[in-house]
Each structure stands twice: as structure tokens, then as C-alpha cells.
Amino acid sequence: MTAVDIPAGSPFGLDNLPYGVFSTPGTAPRVGVRVGDRVLDLAALFEDLEIPDPALSADSLGPFMAQGPARWAEVRDRLQDELAGHSRRGEFGQFLHTLDRVHLHLPFRVGDYVDFYANEHHARNLGAILRPGSAALHPNWKYLPVGYHGRAGTVVVSGTEVVRPSGQRRGIETDMPTFGPSQRLDIEAEVGFVVGVPSRRGVPIPLGDFDAHVFGAVLVDDWSARDIQAWEYVPLGPFLGKSFATSISAWVVPMGALEHARIAQPPQDPEPLPYLRGDRAWGLDLAIEVSWNGQVVSRPPYAQMYWSPAQMLAHLTVGGASVRTGDLFASGTVSGAERSQCGSLIELTWGGTEPVTVGGRPSTFLEDGDEVVIAATAPGPGDARIGFGEVRGRVIGRPETAG
Ligand SMILES: O=C(O)/C=C/C(=O)CC(=O)CC(=O)O
Ligand SMILES: [Ca+2]
Ligand SMILES: [Mg+2]
């Protein structure tokens, strides 16, 4: 028994306690923690406990995340103790709001945003689809986690509508561009890692220091306009095809909640260079599920990621780049060896040549009105699951062109 009602088997039990930013009608956004199907007002609880912290009244997790790992652990331990009913009071009703009564905001101000390309199945599939006749993997791929800097200002919270981008599109049969709404609008199911503690410019973050900087993880949907991307990406990489919207889940799962999800990474051959070499138990056994208009179309296994989040951060900073509170780096699309495990529609439909049936309709890329939901859970202690919640987005036509 806990001091609060948590539905049996909820992936939002005391072993999870993910953080977000919420408001109720007429009140200011502030830090909340998901407990079962409710949101706990953290600032109000801590005031009541006579340990107030202005960081918890902020409209972003930033100030709390900047306080660092000792404080994260202290707050988490205190919460677990209070909610487990170990305190004299055990009265939480006044601090809890049911989910249907709260508005969930973007949980932190996104600083810099990087997207990696850390999944070998995805990299090989995209190579085969986009660059037939060339080697699927570039020679650098197994030596460094390939990535690019994305657009932080268009990272949006789950539930935000995604406006179909227009741009220069390459036709399938021709190399001449036309301008108009993307006809190959896609998703990418990814996991993102959120920096809490900044680093100093010129000082790389070694593999072993990951926990000193990274606060938690979110689900990411890296919406991608494949026809825009295919025309523009040479030689500098993704640009407008991926900058119109990147959705993240509303809950940031603290790294402390993922300790039972840690597994060995897949073998790395060739052995990485020394700054990328270290603890191999950095895989994460996250089970992801992609639903398209309510139908599960894919189950990407994060366990198969080639590069670990610690390797991503080490590489991102090895040249001297610093990170700041609120920086987000995403893993890249998560795919498995099977078609039914692919985290993007371009893979799932093999470049649009092999439609999947969604709601009885043969489907390749996203139509206006389509909705995609990416959800995930991780193993917790015993039988418990740790929920990430979901990242949801519905595609709408551009307002001025919508019919
Ligand atoms: O291989 C390419 O040219 C492009 C790859 C992507 O679009 C994937 C990307 O954004 C990185 C990732 O999600 O893995
Ligand atoms: Ca991506
Ligand atoms: Mg504890």
C-alpha cells in the first residue's frame, strides 16, 4: 500500500516518478510529477513539508535540472518516502490533479538540439533506400556516432499539431525540384536525453561523467519530409526537411528510474577509439510502440542501438563544445532487424513501395488528419514497468492551403 492510489500495474508507480510542467485552469505552469493517473504539484507539496524550493515553481524543469544529481536523488528519495507513506502525514489529495484536468506544457526550454543516427538497422535501411548502389554505411559510421545539429526552437510538446511543411521537393523519377507541400511526410521514433548540468567550453564530457550531466530521457518524434530532405541534404545533411517540428513527450523520465533497463550494448567492432571506449553496460532495454491512426504498426527495440547515450555525449563534446541546461540530444531512429520493428515509415514501406494497411487503407506516408503516437516502457524492479507516456502528433494541412 502506498499513501496515494496508484492503479495496479501502472507504469507510473513510485519507481518511475517522471517530471513535467503542468497547469490547471487559471494557474501558472509549474513542476509536476506523474503518479499513477495523476499529477503531483511538487512545489505545493514541498512548501507543505516546509522545504520550499523556487525551482519547483518554475515554468520549466531547467532550474531544478541545473541543481545536479545529488539534488535529483534527494528529491526523488523524499518523494518515494512520502508517497510510500513512511511519513507521519500521508495526505496528498490536495496536491494531486487528475490528468484530464491538467494542461501539460513543454517540460523544459530546449537549448541546443542534436539528432544522432545511432541505430545500425536504420542507417543501413536508409542507405539502401536513399543511396542504392552505394555502400549502405559510410566508412565513418562505426567509428563515431554520426549526428547533426537540429532546430531547438521547433521542438514541441506531445499533442501539438504538426503542420505539413512546404518546400523544394525532389520528384521520385526526376532530379528537378518542384515547390509545394511535402508528399512524403514521415516520422522517426527516437529517444532523447536531456542535459541538466552544464559543462565548460573546451572540457569534454568523458563516458563516465554522463550521470553528472544528464537528467533524464523523453520520447522523440523527429517528423521528416523525405522529399524535401532527399533534395536538400547533399552535402551538409538534414535542414528544412526536419526543422518544422520535432515532438517530445511531456514527461521526462529521470535516469534514476532507468537503472533496471540497463543492459549490455550490442558488440562494437571495430573497437571504438579510446574516448568512446568504456562501460559496455550502457544499452537500454526500452520497448517502443508506434501507432498510426490507432493501429500499432511497429515495435522498435531500443536495446539494439549501436551507440550508447554516454558515447553520444562524449562525442558531442570531445571537440570542446559545451552543453547547457535544457540541451536535448536524440538517439536517432530506433529500428530492429525486422520490418515490423522499423521506427520510420520510409523503412516500414521500403521507400513507399510496399504500403502497409492502416484502417483498411494501403498507406505509405502521412496524410492530413493522420495521427501518430509513439509510446514506450522500460523494465523496473521485479515485474514493474517504467512508462514514458507517449509522444502524439496529428498532421494538418498548411492553414492557407488546407481545403
Ligand atoms: O541517411 C540519411 O541520409 C538520412 C537519415 C535520416 O533521415 C535519419 C536521421 O534523421 C537520423 C536518425 O533519426 O537516425
Ligand atoms: Ca532523426
Ligand atoms: Mg529510494
Side-chain angles (χ1 to χ4, degrees):
M1 264 314 265
T2 53
V4 288
D5 284 334
I6 300 175
S10 170
F12 297 98
L14 301 191
D15 302 305
N16 189 353
L17 302 178
Y19 294 90
V21 169
F22 80 103
S23 60
T24 51
T27 67
R30 55 206 186 270
V31 174
V33 171
R34 180 151 174 192
V35 184
D37 295 329
R38 290 181 290 176
V39 180
L40 177 74
D41 185 331
L42 205 52
L45 172 66
F46 274 43
E47 250 160 57
D48 188 70
L49 293 170
E50 295 178 359
I51 42 171
D53 181 352
L56 304 177
S57 306
D59 62 357
S60 159
L61 294 178
F64 172 56
M65 296 197 301
Q67 291 176 352
R71 176 66 177 157
W72 308 337
E74 181 186 33
V75 169
R76 184 170 166 77
D77 283 349
R78 183 67 188 255
L79 266 176
Q80 285 174 334
D81 284 351
E82 292 291 337
L83 294 170
H86 296 162
S87 86
R88 59 205 145 78
R89 303 164 338 104
E91 302 252 322
F92 297 99
Q94 58 182 312
F95 309 118
L96 287 163
H97 304 273
T98 52
L99 269 179
D100 55 10
R101 286 206 56 246
V102 307
H103 181 73
L104 296 174
H105 301 261
L106 188 67
F108 55 95
R109 272 184 210 103
V110 182
D112 285 308
Y113 164 52
V114 165
D115 188 23
F116 283 97
Y117 190 42
N119 181 282
E120 184 171 355
H121 303 292
H122 174 72
R124 286 187 182 280
N125 288 341
L126 271 269
I129 294 166
L130 298 177
R131 296 171 285 276
S134 317
L137 288 189
H138 282 280
N140 61 2
W141 199 90
K142 291 213 163 172
Y143 286 91
L144 53 81
V146 170
Y148 66 93
H149 284 100
R151 192 159 189 83
T154 47
V155 176
V156 297
V157 70
S158 174
T160 306
E161 286 178 328
V162 174
V163 178
R164 179 181 300 276
S166 282
Q168 289 198 25
R169 311 157 302 181
R170 188 175 78 185
I172 295 175
E173 310 270 293
T174 146
D175 268 356
M176 293 294 291
T178 57
F179 185 89
S182 170
Q183 289 159 356
R184 287 161 77 84
L185 186 54
D186 199 353
I187 56 140
E188 289 187 331
E190 310 193 16
V191 175
F193 299 90
V194 187
V195 173
V197 177
S199 67
R200 281 178 38 225
R201 191 163 55 86
V203 183
I205 301 179
L207 289 186
D209 284 2
F210 181 92
D211 291 336
H213 293 275
V214 175
F215 174 75
V218 291
L219 294 173
V220 177
D221 189 344
D222 177 23
W223 303 90
S224 300
R226 300 299 179 190
D227 41 3
I228 297 173
Q229 179 185 356
W231 172 243
E232 73 178 2
Y233 85 104
V234 183
L236 290 186
F239 193 36
L240 305 187
K242 286 171 180 282
S243 65
F244 53 96
T246 304
S247 304
I248 64 170
S249 50
W251 298 110
V252 182
V253 176
M255 293 313 295
L258 295 177
E259 58 192 36
H260 296 271
R262 292 279 292 266
I263 51 172
Q265 284 172 250
Q268 292 186 321
D269 183 18
E271 186 178 25
L273 292 171
Y275 76 94
L276 292 171
R277 204 182 291 162
D279 184 2
R280 306 279 311 136
W282 241 121
L284 287 170
D285 187 17
L286 315 181
I288 302 175
E289 198 173 82
V290 180
S291 303
W292 185 356
N293 292 344
Q295 181 178 322
V296 176
V297 290
S298 173
R299 291 195 165 84
Y302 194 90
Q304 294 184 22
M305 292 311 269
Y306 190 87
W307 295 106
S308 74
Q311 288 174 316
M312 294 176 209
L313 185 62
H315 183 63
L316 169 53
T317 57
V318 76
S322 46
V323 293
R324 293 177 292 182
T325 302
D327 279 10
L328 172 68
F329 60 99
S331 61
T333 312
V334 185
S335 290
E338 309 294 327
R339 185 66 70 86
S340 61
Q341 297 178 311
C342 288
S344 69
L345 305 183
I346 193 172
E347 294 168 90
L348 214 51
T349 66
W350 208 251
T353 62
E354 299 173 20
V356 292
T357 304
V358 177
R361 177 186 89 190
S363 305
T364 52
F365 293 98
L366 299 172
E367 307 274 346
D368 290 352
D370 281 3
E371 186 174 61
V372 174
V373 178
I374 301 168
T377 62
D383 290 342
R385 297 295 295 177
I386 302 294
F388 277 74
E390 62 178 31
V391 57
R392 174 186 297 266
R394 195 168 68 89
V395 176
I396 58 169
R398 251 170 111 112
E400 66 271 32
T401 55

